[in-house]
Amino acid sequence: MINCPQCQTDNEIGREVCISCGSALPGLDEIVCSNCQSINPAYLPVCLECGTALHQPEEATTESGKPGESRENSEDQPVFAEESDEQTPIEDVDWLEELKHVTEPLDTGSETGVEDASIPDWVQDVNADPEETGDPRLLGSLQEIEAEEEQNEAAVEPEALTRDSSIVDSEFEAGDVNEPTQGRATEGEATKPAGLDPAEDQPRLPVTAELSRTMPLASHHEIDGLPEQLAKENLPDWLDEVDQPPREPAVSEGLDDAADVPGLEELIDEVAALGQRESLLYDEAFTPKSEAEEILITDLPPDAPDWLVEIMDESAEKRELEDSDIERTEVEVLGSQSLSEDDDLAPETEDEQEASPVDEAVAITAAVVAARITDQRDDDSKVIEDTESLQEDEISTGLPQQEVDESLVEAKELIAMLEELPESEGQSDILSPGLESDATLTSADIPDWLQAIQPKDLGGEGFDQVNAPVEADGPLAGLTGVIPVTATLAISKTRRTDTHYQMTKEQKQQVALLQRLTQAEQVETDSEKPKGAGVTSIQFRLIVGTILLLVILAGLFLPSIEGIMPGSANVYVPEGAVEAFDVTDSLGGRPALVAFEYTPAMAGELDVVAEVYLRHLSEQNSPVLTVSQVAAGVPMAERMVEQTEISQHLALGLLPGEATGVRYLGTCIEESIECDLVTSKELDNDVNEMLSQVGLIIVLAADRESLISWIEQVGSQSEVPIVAGVSQAMGPIAAPFLASGQLVGSLDGLPGAAAYESNFVGSSGVASELLASTILAQWMIILALAGASIYFGMQAMRQRTWR
Amino acid sequence: MTILETLGDLGGLLLGFFLTIAVLSFVLKDNPMYRLTVHMLIGVSAGYAVVVLIRDVFSPLFESLLEERSVNTFFWIVPLILTLLLLAKAFPRTAWVGNISMAALIGIGAAVSLVGAIAGTLVPQILVQYQEALLGLVVALLAIFALAYFFFAARLNREGDVVVSSWYPFVASGGRVVITIALAGLFAAVLSTSLVLLTQRLSFFIEEFGILFENLLS
């Protein structure tokens, strides 16, 4: 029944609103705190708000007395993974911390760990004697439990199960204890194993639930949840026998007796919840790699809860558990021993049989915790790897590193708390006999109906159970055909499409506009381009290069062509060359400042230009000051001065500072001030006087910035005329300054130098020779372009004709 | 000229010829020899720049500071400190220290360049266009055409349709012609420069090998 938090009316399970007041009722997976009326997830042992125990004794007894309701509840509550994935915001649960605080007093208590002084008040309240409190509901529930216990004792057990000893049942109960609802239901009726119900699409089994699956006999009585028809028609006989009221296991008796101990049942529930949650999360995070798991891990949401990251980081602390007193063998007995060996598992001494309920319950609790710890320790190396990958995933999820560190600390505390749980003295004695039964381990007999509901990818067609790999470790060690837990846990989630980038109507129209505007820019496709037939690209390049070299060499060795071919230097004299000659010729012996702003890469063209200028200055007997803004220009200046035999030369060297340095030098020229340390050199009076008398600035530039720098920084503040000697490629850039008068004259490359040389210097030098060869090469290029155009044009026409 | 000098010139000439052929091999395709030559050019240029800087800038400066200790000498402390701060940018942890020097360099350089651009380019170019009004008008018109070619925007009418002005296609086509002519002229100039460089290089080797063989024969 679901108690309405508003009017306290009992409502049937399944109702969403109260039958009395119409207020919203908590869901099946939720429970209302009896103290503060807040709604909590059903798996929580205590209220998130006030810490009050959520699972009151009367609930268990009431449900146990109504199998139908109990089964429904058991179906809802154990589905831990579904709740964590879809419904319950796990990151909001701090129950681990609360649980720690609750269990700590018990752990540090006396030998039994259940002294009244060490039990929290809320536990004492919950477990108070109903007769003392006079609570009629509790009294009724207790009566129902007693009546049902009597029925169970009277029930006939199957032959196979009668051989089960109390220790076997204690194992099973220990496994069930990890699942609160199942454990509760087991006391009164058989519970359905998680994963067997087809309705459970993703049976996320904790470790203890896995243990129960590996014990066929123990799970016989858990088929109650199956449909009746299916149970009647398909169930094997031996399983049908189990469909009777379960026998009363010894440990159950002990647990019932232990219920009288204040706080013990709550402790079991809390530890069971802890184990269930931890095992679930651990299985999710650290099960062997598979494609499905990849999906699960990578699909961790950005707001992944802290405890998930905590569990992932917990693996880093597993090595600390190596020194733990908990033995792996004890856990293996819990997990992997066949119930057919139950004779060995039977208690051997009266002391064990007469162990107090408290001791047995604590022993079960410790065993469960040990199973959890040891199971994690077995996968230590794998856990480390998975942790690293998970940390990477953590980065993708956007969790800050600080939160991860904090989670790591909390994980340490959690492990420490688990280690501190009391261990029963008789536990090892009870469980150890099963170690000797590995050799007689029998394979499980999976019924047909279970085969039918087994997923295809796990055990359907093509699944060879006989030749399936044997489980190497863990609680399922030694078994074949084990269904991978990861596959059952993996839920392929479709990535949420981000809806932030939907195009608006305006954006679509803008795209359409852009497409319209760019339609005219579409070029011909490669298929439409004519290609040279039978000639590869390299061959074509070789042919063109060879022809080009031959033509240039012909121009060099056949100077007579100079007068034949048009384009000779005698034909056209640029206006800038005339102006440059006039200015240079009018120097009258005044010094000239020549800036070599080019590197050896452009020396082939600008050396010729510099040569004609320097030869003219040499004829004028004008002193020459050389400077350069580029380091490679300094040796170029020295070489050209030496080559042209300049009589008076002063090398100012490198001029650092780019525009600033040029401006500073222009200031020295214009204002006739003493520039003591221009270009870091101490200039004597003669040099300063020479700078102040500079009558012409010649800029030999191969790049725009150098030319512009001289024009802007020096030309704007000085009346000294500037002439340029630039490459042909730089000619268009110098033209505007020539038109504005900022450049008095300009020699544009080889044609300008040849014109200057042949028409004004009066001698046919290197420039004229080079120009003849260049003009011949240019004509060859023109002919080649014309021939190629005709050839490919005709080819294109042929293709069109064929089409 | 001795034999050793001749052989030295021959070695240098052969090396230069080999490197020239390696560069020209790029006509076929990119190859290791071409890359090696390019890397050598870059490395030698950088190394030579360092040598020139030390020889022409740092060495004369320190010599003058050591020889003559005057008031002006102390002024060099400022650039010296800025230089040292600039060296700190070589290390990531101290890179921020060099920002002071970079700020000075960029700030002063930008100011000087801006003044020069205004006084040396903008104002004179505007004035010359003013003097030749017709030429200025043509230049402005062609500039508008060229800019209109890169205008990729339009308005939406009330129905949400894209509307382009009727004159825009014509102006854009005109701009396309202007850009084509300008790029063609620049490309032709670059091609001509390349031909000159090739011609000069071939001429150089022919002349130098001729001189060398003359010396060897003589």
Side-chain angles (χ1 to χ4, degrees):
Chain A
M1 302 299 283
I2 300 177
N3 189 262
C4 175
Q6 296 294 330
C7 63
Q8 311 301 325
T9 303
D10 289 336
N11 294 271
E12 294 180 355
I13 295 177
R15 286 191 174 276
E16 296 182 355
V17 296
C18 177
I19 193 172
S20 176
C21 63
S23 59
L25 295 174
L28 294 177
D29 54 349
E30 295 173 340
I31 191 168
V32 179
C33 176
S34 59
N35 184 30
C36 63
Q37 306 303 322
S38 60
I39 299 175
N40 294 272
Y43 56 79
L44 290 182
V46 295
C47 177
L48 290 174
E49 298 295 332
C50 63
T52 303
L54 297 174
H55 302 280
Q56 302 292 346
E58 64 269 21
E59 294 181 8
T61 55
T62 302
E63 293 175 3
S64 63
K66 299 179 179 180
E69 294 179 2
S70 175
R71 185 172 66 250
E72 283 186 19
N73 209 10
S74 63
E75 288 175 357
D76 295 326
Q77 294 186 358
V79 188
F80 217 90
E82 293 179 356
E83 294 172 359
S84 61
D85 282 345
E86 300 174 359
Q87 300 173 4
T88 305
I90 300 177
E91 60 273 18
D92 295 334
V93 178
D94 292 330
W95 58 275
L96 285 177
E97 283 292 332
E98 297 178 9
L99 176 60
K100 174 188 174 185
H101 296 308
V102 169
T103 56
E104 273 178 352
L106 293 177
D107 300 337
T108 57
S110 62
E111 294 181 355
T112 60
V114 290
E115 290 185 4
D116 293 344
S118 61
I119 299 175
D121 296 338
W122 60 271
V123 178
Q124 296 183 7
D125 296 339
V126 171
N127 294 278
D129 189 354
E131 296 179 0
E132 295 179 358
T133 58
D135 190 345
R137 292 186 300 171
L138 290 178
L139 291 174
S141 301
L142 288 175
Q143 292 174 358
E144 291 179 5
I145 292 175
E146 293 174 354
E148 191 166 343
E149 285 174 355
E150 294 175 0
Q151 292 178 0
N152 293 337
E153 290 175 354
V156 178
E157 295 182 359
E159 184 180 356
L161 291 180
T162 52
R163 295 190 296 113
D164 293 346
S165 65
S166 58
I167 300 302
V168 174
D169 292 324
S170 68
E171 288 182 22
F172 174 68
E173 292 300 328
D176 285 345
V177 161
N178 271 347
E179 298 180 13
T181 310
Q182 287 185 359
R184 237 178 268 282
T186 305
E187 297 176 5
E189 63 165 9
T191 57
K192 176 184 58 182
L196 292 180
D197 190 352
E200 295 180 3
D201 297 330
Q202 295 83 27
R204 303 190 170 194
L205 304 179
V207 172
T208 50
E210 291 289 341
L211 299 182
S212 65
R213 283 207 304 169
T214 63
M215 297 181 291
L217 295 178
S219 60
H220 288 170
H221 61 282
E222 295 182 354
I223 61 171
D224 191 32
L226 289 174
E228 182 179 359
Q229 184 178 1
L230 180 61
K232 296 296 183 183
E233 294 178 359
N234 299 330
L235 289 182
D237 297 333
W238 59 269
L239 193 57
D240 196 19
E241 294 176 2
V242 184
D243 193 15
Q244 301 295 332
R247 74 276 179 266
E248 186 65 17
V251 174
S252 298
E253 293 178 2
L255 289 175
D256 292 336
D257 295 335
D260 296 331
V261 178
L264 177 60
E265 186 174 354
E266 294 300 326
L267 172 63
I268 294 173
D269 291 342
E270 292 162 2
V271 174
L274 168 66
Q276 184 186 22
R277 166 151 290 203
E278 277 196 277
S279 61
L280 171 64
L281 300 176
Y282 181 82
D283 293 340
E284 283 184 342
F286 302 115
T287 43
K289 285 289 184 183
S290 67
E291 184 177 355
E293 185 201 37
E294 293 285 344
I295 299 173
L296 180 64
I297 292 179
T298 54
D299 283 347
L300 278 176
D303 53 350
D306 296 338
W307 57 264
L308 183 55
V309 180
E310 182 176 279
I311 294 300
M312 303 309 179
D313 292 339
E314 187 181 345
S315 60
E317 305 298 324
K318 296 300 181 296
R319 297 188 185 280
E320 297 179 8
L321 301 176
E322 294 292 334
D323 299 329
S324 173
D325 295 330
I326 303 171
E327 294 296 330
R328 170 186 172 79
T329 55
E330 300 172 357
V331 182
E332 289 179 344
V333 169
L334 269 177
S336 61
Q337 293 305 316
S338 170
L339 294 181
S340 62
E341 306 296 333
D342 48 13
D343 292 336
D344 297 334
L345 301 177
E348 296 177 356
T349 62
E350 294 182 2
D351 295 337
E352 294 171 358
Q353 293 177 345
E354 296 176 3
S356 66
V358 175
D359 279 342
E360 291 183 5
V362 172
I364 294 169
T365 304
V368 171
V369 174
R372 289 287 305 116
I373 296 173
T374 309
D375 198 18
Q376 295 177 5
R377 187 180 59 187
D378 291 338
D379 298 330
D380 202 7
S381 58
K382 181 179 65 180
V383 163
I384 294 174
E385 297 175 0
D386 293 340
T387 303
E388 293 176 358
S389 63
L390 218 68
Q391 287 176 350
E392 296 176 359
D393 294 337
E394 175 269 326
I395 296 173
S396 64
T397 55
L399 292 178
Q401 184 62 33
Q402 184 179 0
E403 290 188 12
V404 177
D405 297 338
E406 293 176 355
S407 301
L408 187 59
V409 174
E410 294 176 358
K412 291 179 180 178
E413 296 175 358
L414 175 62
I415 294 174
M417 178 192 69
L418 295 176
E419 290 184 51
E420 291 173 2
L421 287 176
E423 180 180 1
S424 174
E425 294 179 354
Q427 179 190 359
S428 59
D429 297 332
I430 295 172
L431 302 175
S432 58
L435 290 175
E436 302 171 356
S437 63
D438 288 343
T440 60
L441 192 67
T442 58
S443 59
D445 184 14
I446 303 176
D448 295 338
W449 61 269
L450 186 58
Q451 297 275 11
I453 63 174
Q454 193 172 11
K456 288 185 177 180
D457 55 340
L458 300 178
E461 296 179 1
F463 181 75
D464 189 359
Q465 185 174 355
V466 176
N467 298 325
V470 179
E471 200 72 6
D473 54 3
L476 305 179
L479 297 182
T480 60
V482 175
I483 300 173
V485 181
T486 50
T488 61
L489 293 176
I491 301 174
S492 59
K493 298 178 179 178
T494 56
R495 291 191 176 277
R496 186 177 56 188
T497 56
D498 203 337
T499 58
H500 294 293
Y501 299 104
Q502 292 181 349
M503 293 182 66
T504 62
K505 181 181 179 182
E506 290 75 13
Q507 289 173 335
K508 292 179 180 178
Q509 291 173 343
Q510 291 175 355
V511 170
L513 171 63
L514 184 61
Q515 290 175 347
R516 280 184 52 190
L517 295 175
T518 54
Q519 279 178 353
E521 299 297 323
Q522 290 180 355
V523 296
E524 295 179 340
T525 59
D526 294 337
S527 59
E528 295 176 352
K529 291 182 179 178
K531 296 181 180 178
V535 180
T536 63
S537 175
I538 294 179
Q539 292 173 344
F540 183 76
R541 293 178 187 179
L542 278 176
I543 294 172
V544 172
T546 304
I547 294 174
L548 186 60
L549 288 176
L550 291 177
V551 171
I552 291 176
L553 290 175
L556 291 174
F557 288 102
L558 299 174
S560 58
I561 298 178
E562 177 185 7
I564 300 173
M565 300 299 295
S568 171
N570 296 325
V571 177
Y572 173 69
V573 178
E575 184 180 357
V578 176
E579 297 293 338
F581 177 81
D582 292 342
V583 173
T584 306
D585 199 49
S586 62
L587 269 179
R590 294 176 63 188
L593 177 65
V594 182
F596 285 81
E597 308 290 1
Y598 64 92
T599 62
M602 294 299 295
E605 187 172 21
L606 290 181
D607 271 355
V608 181
V609 177
E611 185 175 352
V612 296
Y613 272 128
L614 292 178
R615 288 190 182 280
H616 197 184
L617 292 175
S618 177
E619 290 180 2
Q620 297 287 328
N621 292 322
S622 296
V624 174
L625 292 87
T626 57
V627 70
S628 178
Q629 292 187 72
V630 292
V634 177
M636 303 303 298
E638 295 176 355
R639 185 170 64 88
M640 291 309 301
V641 168
E642 181 182 359
Q643 185 175 342
T644 53
E645 299 175 354
I646 298 294
S647 58
Q648 298 181 27
H649 169 239
L650 178 62
L652 298 178
L654 182 66
L655 182 63
E658 297 183 349
T660 308
V662 174
R663 190 172 189 84
Y664 179 72
L665 183 61
T667 305
C668 297
I669 295 172
E670 178 61 23
E671 299 180 359
S672 300
I673 61 174
E674 291 186 359
C675 298
D676 292 336
L677 292 174
V678 64
T679 68
S680 304
K681 285 184 178 180
E682 184 180 2
L683 303 178
D684 53 18
N685 294 331
D686 295 339
V687 176
N688 282 319
E689 184 178 356
M690 190 180 295
L691 276 175
S692 63
Q693 293 177 355
V694 166
L696 178 65
I697 297 174
I698 300 173
V699 180
L700 304 172
D703 62 306
R704 179 183 180 277
E705 297 303 324
S706 299
L707 177 65
I708 298 297
S709 178
W710 279 97
I711 294 174
E712 291 181 346
Q713 304 301 334
V714 178
S716 62
Q717 61 175 333
S718 174
E719 297 296 333
V720 178
I722 300 176
V723 295
V726 296
S727 62
Q728 278 188 275
M730 281 281 293
I733 295 175
F737 298 101
L738 191 63
S740 63
Q742 294 173 281
L743 286 177
V744 178
S746 177
L747 296 183
D748 297 344
L750 190 59
Y756 191 102
E757 182 183 69
S758 60
N759 289 279
F760 302 106
V761 178
S763 62
S764 178
V766 179
S768 300
E769 294 178 3
L770 293 176
L771 182 63
S773 300
T774 304
I775 290 174
L776 187 61
Q778 288 175 346
W779 274 107
M780 191 277 297
I781 291 173
I782 292 173
L783 293 176
L785 288 175
S789 299
I790 294 172
Y791 174 78
F792 290 114
M794 292 178 63
Q795 199 173 37
M797 290 178 64
R798 289 176 185 175
Q799 291 179 352
R800 290 180 182 177
T801 304
W802 291 341
R803 289 177 184 174
Chain B
M1 179 176 288
T2 63
I3 297 178
L4 290 178
E5 291 177 347
T6 305
L7 291 178
D9 291 343
L10 179 61
L13 191 63
L14 290 176
L15 179 62
F17 182 77
F18 171 76
L19 294 177
T20 303
I21 296 299
V23 172
L24 294 178
S25 66
F26 188 74
V27 171
L28 301 178
K29 66 175 184 178
D30 193 4
N31 59 83
M33 293 306 300
Y34 168 77
R35 294 196 169 215
L36 175 65
T37 307
V38 171
H39 293 169
M40 286 177 60
L41 174 64
I42 297 173
V44 170
S45 300
Y48 188 80
V50 173
V51 172
V52 171
L53 279 172
I54 294 174
R55 186 191 67 178
D56 288 355
V57 178
F58 293 109
S59 179
L61 175 61
F62 283 109
E63 287 179 0
S64 62
L65 291 177
L66 292 176
E67 292 176 357
E68 183 181 355
R69 297 181 179 178
S70 61
V71 179
N72 294 335
T73 305
F74 294 99
F75 290 132
W76 283 100
I77 295 176
V78 176
L80 183 61
I81 292 175
L82 292 176
T83 304
L84 294 177
L85 293 179
L86 199 58
L87 292 176
K89 290 195 77 68
F91 308 99
R93 290 189 176 183
T94 59
W96 62 274
V97 177
N99 292 341
I100 301 172
S101 302
M102 291 301 297
L105 286 174
I106 295 175
I108 296 173
V112 172
S113 299
L114 181 62
V115 172
I118 294 174
T121 300
L122 289 179
V123 174
Q125 291 300 317
I126 291 173
L127 292 177
V128 71
Q129 301 302 331
Y130 177 76
Q131 294 171 356
E132 299 180 10
L134 182 59
L135 179 61
L137 183 62
V138 172
V139 169
L141 194 61
L142 296 180
I144 291 172
F145 280 18
L147 292 175
Y149 175 75
F150 297 100
F151 188 71
F152 297 110
R155 291 183 177 180
L156 300 176
N157 59 12
R158 293 182 177 179
E159 288 75 19
D161 299 329
V162 178
V163 177
V164 180
S165 301
S166 57
W167 54 267
Y168 173 75
F170 300 101
V171 175
S173 300
R176 189 177 182 181
V177 172
V178 171
I179 292 171
T180 302
I181 294 174
L183 292 180
L186 292 175
F187 180 75
V190 172
L191 179 62
S192 179
T193 296
S194 301
L195 283 176
V196 171
L197 294 177
L198 178 61
T199 305
Q200 191 274 340
R201 197 89 296 245
L202 291 176
S203 174
F204 169 79
F205 282 118
I206 292 172
E207 183 179 352
E208 292 297 322
F209 275 115
I211 295 174
L212 187 66
F213 284 129
E214 284 183 3
N215 293 332
L216 289 176
L217 293 176
S218 61

